[in-house]
Amino acid sequence: MTHLHLNPTVVVVADDEGYLAYDVGTGRLWHLNPSAALVLELVEEGCDLDQIHMALAPILGADGWPSCRTWIESSVRDGLFAGEPSPTTGEVGAPDRLRALASELRGRDRVLGAYICQRRATELAPDDPQIWYELGELAHIVGRRVVARNAYERYFDHHPDDAEVEHLLVSLRDETPPARVPDRCIRQLYSRFSSFYEENMRDELGYRAPELLRDAIAAAAGNRRGLAVLDLGCGTGLSGELLRPRAGRMVGVDLSPEMIERAERRGLYDALHEAEIGSFLASPSCGSFDLVVACDALIYFGDLGPVLRLARQRLEPEGLVAFTVERSDVGPFRLTDSGRFAHHRDHLFDAADAAGLVVESADEAILRQEYGSPVPGLVVVCRAGPDKSS
Ligand SMILES: C[S@@+](CC[C@H](N)C(=O)[O-])C[C@H]1O[C@@H](n2cnc3c(N)ncnc32)[C@H](O)[C@@H]1O
């Protein structure tokens, strides 16, 4: 074996320090360090084993070559390199094929392989904005932040009206976050998401914030029934369904018409309003409630002070405000690369206190999964304290 060839079913892309290589035939992955990356470049230039040895000798020294040679031999056995050129060269090379592979691999949670295929597709078809969008998603999933930012920027150049990508770029560029996720972004996100929201959250992501909140409310509210309940960011009614047994009257509020429409079909709510949470709470027609709930909705708000203050003003005496947020170890809160906010535990207590609420419980829990990792959260119940509105 003096001449080597890159196995034609292997896709290679540059990475932070070296290359990533993925065999679409066997699913095998290689992280190539700078020396291995150099070997690969020399192989691709058509160098034989002697030429590779000569090129690497000054870098590796006399002692380094035997282990490099052993690595090359094992890479032939593992299928990175082949001794003979294959007649199927180019089989996986077309951008559409790579993109289809990326989509299929992502569906099977083989996200690094998907990322490699998608990244190679953008190298081959750099003028297709949609390919860049898909790379942005995959780069975010595998934690390649700079690649994700660059990919979303390339897409955004062609789609400057995309409010979701505009918002993601705020985080990826480390710009100052807005007070809350822009309304236009929420509407676009849930217009796209509404048709598979429940299936995705429940069946694929193990979403259990509604159950966690129901149980936390039960611990604080005991046997109280017939409550006036306000469900902020009610979505399709997943949280409302579990609140209904306690409710005499239940009102839902949400920005997304598609989510509201699904909530309506559930037939749980006495009234549903397509409105922004803060604007609704501030409107004179809002009314007052025994229980104000925001299940997985304040993840779209930065500083919780203003919204908790408004919620406090809508509480009956002995009223409760209950909500979940994603937990951050960094205070007081931060916009994450997912486009959602995460809050430090201390911020909940500070914001609740300033709003005239007393935190009854703030339990840590896993709210759901995301890309195979748990999403840590806080399940919070507050009681009306001294009114600080004046
Ligand atoms: C993750 S979903 C949660 C839905 C529901 N509470 C549940 O537990 O399934 C978040 C919901 O909050 C809504 N939302 C986000 N920000 C909002 C805002 N500022 N005003 C009104 N609704 C908002 C979204 O439209 C979406 O339906």
Side-chain angles (χ1 to χ4, degrees):
M1 173 197 60
T2 56
H3 268 98
L4 294 172
H5 304 271
L6 182 67
N7 183 339
T9 59
V10 173
V11 180
V12 180
V13 294
D15 200 38
D16 294 345
E17 290 178 8
Y19 288 107
L20 290 170
Y22 181 72
D23 188 334
V24 301
T26 62
R28 196 172 182 119
L29 251 166
W30 292 268
H31 294 256
L32 304 183
N33 66 22
S35 306
L38 188 51
V39 171
L40 185 127
E41 283 170 9
L42 293 166
V43 165
E44 292 213 285
E45 280 170 26
C47 294
D48 64 20
L49 213 47
D50 290 339
Q51 290 166 316
I52 293 173
H53 182 188
M54 272 180 6
L56 288 178
I59 301 166
L60 300 175
D63 296 343
W65 174 246
S67 58
C68 182
R69 199 191 154 108
T70 305
W71 177 79
I72 292 172
E73 284 164 0
S74 73
S75 299
V76 172
R77 279 196 303 277
D78 294 343
L80 176 61
F81 300 129
E84 297 294 331
S86 162
T88 58
T89 298
E91 187 184 313
V92 293
D96 284 347
R97 167 102 173 102
L98 285 163
R99 197 172 167 194
L101 270 168
S103 165
E104 189 226 310
L105 288 166
R106 182 177 171 178
R108 291 194 282 128
D109 284 335
R110 310 286 290 267
V111 285
L112 198 49
Y115 165 74
I116 294 167
C117 292
Q118 188 71 33
R119 187 146 179 207
R120 183 75 189 122
T122 60
E123 288 171 0
L124 297 171
D127 296 330
D128 182 343
Q130 195 55 33
I131 295 193
W132 286 107
Y133 176 84
E134 289 155 12
L135 179 63
E137 285 189 319
L138 281 164
H140 164 64
I141 294 171
V142 300
R144 300 314 196 261
R145 203 165 183 260
V146 175
V147 178
R149 189 185 68 203
N150 177 50
Y152 280 134
E153 280 172 343
R154 295 286 295 260
Y155 165 84
F156 193 60
D157 285 346
H158 293 84
H159 294 278
D161 292 338
D162 191 317
E164 280 180 77
V165 169
E166 185 174 19
H167 176 62
L168 289 176
L169 282 171
V170 169
S171 168
L172 289 167
R173 289 171 173 159
D174 294 319
E175 293 172 353
T176 307
R180 65 167 197 276
V181 178
D183 297 357
R184 214 163 61 85
C185 174
I186 297 286
R187 284 204 194 90
Q188 183 186 314
L189 168 62
Y190 283 96
S191 163
R192 188 171 57 73
F193 194 14
S194 62
S195 64
F196 59 99
Y197 173 81
E198 293 195 6
E199 185 193 341
N200 180 246
M201 292 290 266
R202 288 303 215 185
D203 304 343
E204 292 162 29
L205 304 182
Y207 177 59
R208 58 194 200 100
E211 286 76 9
L212 292 166
L213 206 52
R214 174 199 60 195
D215 295 349
I217 291 166
N223 294 329
R224 290 173 68 192
R225 289 274 186 281
L227 303 180
V229 176
L230 175 60
D231 188 4
L232 299 173
C234 62
T236 60
L238 280 182
S239 41
E241 193 157 51
L242 302 186
L243 300 170
R244 186 69 241 191
R246 270 187 194 280
R249 178 172 69 93
M250 190 161 77
V251 175
V253 177
D254 203 287
L255 256 180
S256 160
E258 290 86 354
M259 296 294 268
I260 287 270
E261 193 192 317
R262 288 182 147 72
E264 218 149 34
R265 279 191 233 150
R266 260 202 161 83
L268 292 167
Y269 294 90
D270 298 289
L272 280 164
H273 300 271
E274 185 189 321
E276 197 285 313
I277 287 171
S279 308
F280 183 80
L281 287 169
S283 70
S285 58
C286 173
S288 57
F289 297 87
D290 302 303
L291 177 59
V292 176
V293 174
C295 187
D296 217 30
L298 300 188
I299 55 175
Y300 297 111
F301 287 68
D303 183 353
L304 295 179
V307 69
L308 290 183
R309 222 174 353 262
L310 289 169
R312 167 69 185 87
Q313 287 164 20
R314 296 298 165 194
L315 279 191
E316 292 285 357
E318 306 298 313
L320 298 172
V321 176
F323 58 95
T324 61
V325 285
E326 294 182 14
R327 182 170 63 77
S328 166
D329 293 332
V330 180
F333 51 86
R334 67 193 173 94
L335 179 64
T336 71
D337 289 348
S338 66
R340 306 185 301 268
F341 287 92
H343 298 85
H344 193 276
R345 189 183 173 82
D346 292 348
H347 176 65
L348 306 179
F349 285 82
D350 294 344
D353 183 54
L357 293 164
V358 178
V359 177
E360 184 94 359
S361 61
D363 299 330
E364 296 189 8
I366 301 303
L367 303 178
R368 64 183 175 87
Q369 302 291 308
E370 183 163 58
Y371 310 131
S373 300
V375 176
L378 289 158
V379 183
V380 187
V381 181
C382 304
R383 207 174 272 289
D387 189 350
K388 299 192 178 177
S389 59
S390 48

